[in-house]
Amino acid sequence: MRLSRRHFLGAAGAVTTLSLWPGLSALAADGDTRLLVVLLRGGVDGLHVLPPRGDADYARLRGALAPRDALALNADFALHPALPFAHGLYARGQLLPVVAIAPPYRQRSHFEAQDCLENGTASASGASTGWLNRCVAALHGGQALSVSAVMPLIMRGPGAATTWSPPLPEDVNPILLQRLQSLYAADPRLSDAFARALDSQGVGMDAARARGGRLPQAMTAAARFMAAADGPRLGFVEDSGWDTHSNQAAVLARKLGELDAGLRAFHDGAPAVWDRTAIAVVSEFGRTAAVNGTAGTDHGTGGLALLAGGAVKGGRIAGDWPGLAPSALNEGRDLRATSDLRGLFKGLLSAHLRIGDSALETQVFPDSRAAPAMRGLVA
């Protein structure tokens, strides 16, 4: 199926129809599950998103960078205060944070780590197709949609996948804006002119906040497509700007607010399929455990995954927390990754989409027996 703007409008209508006919929704629910993968490009700092408040070394490593007023989840972990909707999902058992997780690539290149995550093998050059596309083929009749201007690696291949590019504003990287603003701020003749120029072009921080951000709009589009009775079972949304070498607190406060709004947008936009949906929010790696000299963090290894949705068995913390003691850190600087992201994806595909173990091991994630499927991710 080639999705078009007309189909998009039709999908929005289908959502309304299913909401008015709960009996039809229940009929459609039989095995008709949805999986949306959200890739945060840049290496999101999991220690900032999910502060390990029960780890005595966290305050020593992060100091003033540790988020204030974090939202408690349990005695050991909290959520960043910009994630109130996600916090509510956790209370309802529909958010599952998975700690200390990463793709099998354990170096520090964004591009290689993203290629490894998207091709689903043990290396950046392991395949020219993506695991979500191979998953489509394993579903025998399934469809996949990427809300993006070009087909990302994770969706490339012979399976029935397509892209749809809504008229979303292309946000300027907030880190680039901050660096430019600091340069212009030193010149009294240019600082005001620079700020006015940004807002007049609709790329200033205030303008970006007024639009609500690109990620919430992309997830709104994904919800409308995937909520349709004949909508794609697999979806993909990507977002950039998560590489926070400097001024991390301000950048992530904004970006996490957009992620929270995106989760709410999908929840509100796809009520007919929410109970049958799992959303996997992932990134290519984590950040260094200690703050650097510019109030940010550098490329690390162990990261964080967030699973959300009505089908998720949440309200708890998953994964094996290695701790932040000096002897526990990878190479003396990073949170050590204790889980392979392929195991998380395999667990979702097995339990949520009912893809058999043989197809997972030989087709979707070839040569991945060293990364067994995580169990108990969905209800």
Side-chain angles (χ1 to χ4, degrees), residues 125 144 225 231 306 335 355 363 375:
S125 57
F225 278 118
L306 296 175
L335 177 69
I355 295 179
Q363 181 178 345
R375 303 301 180 188

Side-chain angles (χ1 to χ4, degrees), residues 104-170:
Y105 174 88
R106 300 294 162 83
Q107 302 303 310
R108 304 176 194 281
S109 163
H110 289 296
F111 303 114
E112 292 179 350
Q114 289 173 18
D115 284 351
C116 182
L117 185 156
E118 293 183 68
N119 71 33
T121 73
S123 70
S125 57
S128 59
T129 60
W131 68 263
L132 265 178
N133 187 282
R134 299 194 295 271
C135 179
V136 178
L139 282 174
H140 302 294
Q143 302 177 81
L145 168 71
S146 175
V147 183
S148 57
V150 298
M151 187 69 80
L153 172 58
I154 198 170
M155 282 287 197
R156 294 178 199 162
T162 189
T163 64
W164 190 82
S165 180
L168 300 178
E170 291 291 340

Side-chain angles (χ1 to χ4, degrees), residues 135-284:
C135 179
V136 178
L139 282 174
H140 302 294
Q143 302 177 81
L145 168 71
S146 175
V147 183
S148 57
V150 298
M151 187 69 80
L153 172 58
I154 198 170
M155 282 287 197
R156 294 178 199 162
T162 189
T163 64
W164 190 82
S165 180
L168 300 178
E170 291 291 340
D171 287 348
V172 177
N173 188 319
I175 298 171
L176 173 62
L177 283 179
Q178 288 174 351
R179 289 174 177 171
L180 290 175
Q181 283 176 322
S182 65
L183 293 174
Y184 279 95
D187 189 322
R189 294 171 298 177
L190 297 178
S191 58
D192 288 343
F194 180 72
R196 289 196 302 271
L198 289 179
D199 282 333
S200 68
Q201 296 299 314
V203 297
M205 291 297 187
D206 290 341
R209 279 192 288 268
R211 291 197 303 266
R214 188 180 189 282
L215 181 56
Q217 295 177 60
M219 293 186 72
T220 297
R224 289 178 179 169
F225 278 118
M226 298 180 74
D230 61 345
R233 295 185 65 189
L234 298 170
F236 178 77
V237 169
E238 60 188 351
D239 189 52
S240 60
W242 297 84
D243 190 15
T244 51
H245 291 283
S246 62
N247 197 20
Q248 174 170 297
V251 173
L252 286 190
R254 175 189 174 224
K255 298 295 292 182
L256 290 172
E258 293 176 4
L259 174 61
D260 202 58
L263 292 173
R264 181 189 292 274
F266 194 97
H267 171 274
D268 294 350
V273 299
W274 176 255
D275 287 345
R276 294 178 272 136
T277 294
I279 302 172
V281 182
V282 298
S283 193
E284 69 264 32

